[in-house]
């Protein structure tokens, strides 16, 4: 099976447990949560084992997410959350504060790099996204999170795909920006 992700995953390397009903009752298997997103996770097991189509992933902090097995390759397992996208509160529990800070900084750096590569100012992007220039500056510095709908809008405005902003390399390689008479011409 190939893995089809609906969202970019962030490395966590945290411990967890997979629970499911086996032939002889409830089974609990320890695992490493290698990475996680708002829609699923990639798990690393200590041994190869066949799993049912549905199981519960238990995070170390007690958060429980019912999952469907998307793919399995020996000791690696891809799961999607059965109830869809995890809430903001659940996502906060899935990543440590340090992981969240690193993720915000990475996204901010990517946004800033894409903005500068396209030749736009903080004020121009803020105006078209409908936020303050201070919000853009703080987001680019990784001080605050950018809501997904605004990040998607920024990606569209900057002519980059959302994945490159969220999980792209340390800097976005963009083709040279076309000269423009006004920022409004390309940012509508």
């Amino acid at each position: 099976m190939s893995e089809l992700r609906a969202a970019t995953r962030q490395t966590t390397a945290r411990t967890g447990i997979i629970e499911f009903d086996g032939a002889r009752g409830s089974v609990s298997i320890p695992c490493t949560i290698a990475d996680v997103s708002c829609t699923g996770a990639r798990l690393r097991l200590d041994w190869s084992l066949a799993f049912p189509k549905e199981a519960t992933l238990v995070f170390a902090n007690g958060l429980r997410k019912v999952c469907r097995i998307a793919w399995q390759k020996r000791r690696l397992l891809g799961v999607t959350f059965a109830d869809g996208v995890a809430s903001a509160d659940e996502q906060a529990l899935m990543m440590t504060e340090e992981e969240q800070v690193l993720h915000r900084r990475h996204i901010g750096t990517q946004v800033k790099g894409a903005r500068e590569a396209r030749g736009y100012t903080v004020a121009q992007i803020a105006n078209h996204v409908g936020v303050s220039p201070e919000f853009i500056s703080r987001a680019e510095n990784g001080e605050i999170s950018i809501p997904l709908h605004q990040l998607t809008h920024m990606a569209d405005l900057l002519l980059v795909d959302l994945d490159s902003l969220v999980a792209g390399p340390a800097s976005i390689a963009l083709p040279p920006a076309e000269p423009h008479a006004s920022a409004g011409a390309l940012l509508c």
Side-chain angles (χ1 to χ4, degrees):
M1 273 188 250
S2 65
E3 179 180 14
L4 301 173
R5 287 186 220 158
T8 304
R9 294 194 178 144
Q10 298 305 311
T11 302
T12 61
R14 299 173 76 187
T15 58
I17 296 174
I18 301 249
E19 293 180 346
F20 58 91
D21 291 327
R24 296 184 177 168
S26 183
V27 177
S28 296
I29 307 291
C31 66
T32 299
I33 304 167
D35 48 50
V36 68
S37 76
C38 60
T39 60
R42 183 171 51 107
L43 311 175
R44 189 174 304 118
L45 309 170
D46 290 337
W47 59 86
S48 295
L49 180 68
F51 278 87
K53 292 190 187 274
E54 195 167 282
T56 300
L57 174 59
V58 183
F59 289 81
N61 57 19
L63 175 66
R64 301 173 69 83
K65 292 294 286 179
V66 176
C67 301
R68 290 193 181 96
I69 309 304
W71 57 269
Q72 182 174 2
K73 186 174 182 183
R74 287 183 265 182
R75 297 179 350 161
L76 291 177
L77 192 66
V79 299
T80 59
F81 299 139
D83 60 353
V85 176
S87 70
D89 290 339
E90 289 175 325
Q91 289 178 51
L93 293 173
M94 291 177 193
M95 293 174 69
T96 65
E97 181 60 34
E98 181 179 315
E99 291 163 345
Q100 292 175 44
V101 167
L102 291 173
H103 186 56
R104 279 194 310 268
R105 285 182 186 157
H106 176 78
I107 290 172
T109 299
Q110 296 296 90
V111 168
K112 183 176 183 176
R115 177 184 58 75
E116 289 175 345
R118 291 287 178 208
Y120 296 113
T121 66
V122 167
Q124 288 170 322
I125 293 297
N127 183 50
H128 289 288
V129 174
V131 296
S132 70
E134 179 189 10
F135 174 87
I136 298 295
S137 292
R138 291 185 67 207
E140 286 183 351
N141 290 327
E143 297 169 20
I144 58 174
S145 295
I146 306 170
L148 183 59
H149 71 281
Q150 290 173 334
L151 192 59
T152 301
H153 191 188
M154 287 179 196
D156 290 344
L157 295 170
L158 297 170
L159 304 175
V160 296
D161 76 28
L162 185 60
D163 264 358
S164 67
L165 291 181
V166 176
S171 63
I172 298 174
L174 296 172
E178 294 179 20
H180 53 278
S182 73
L186 288 178
L187 292 175
C188 293

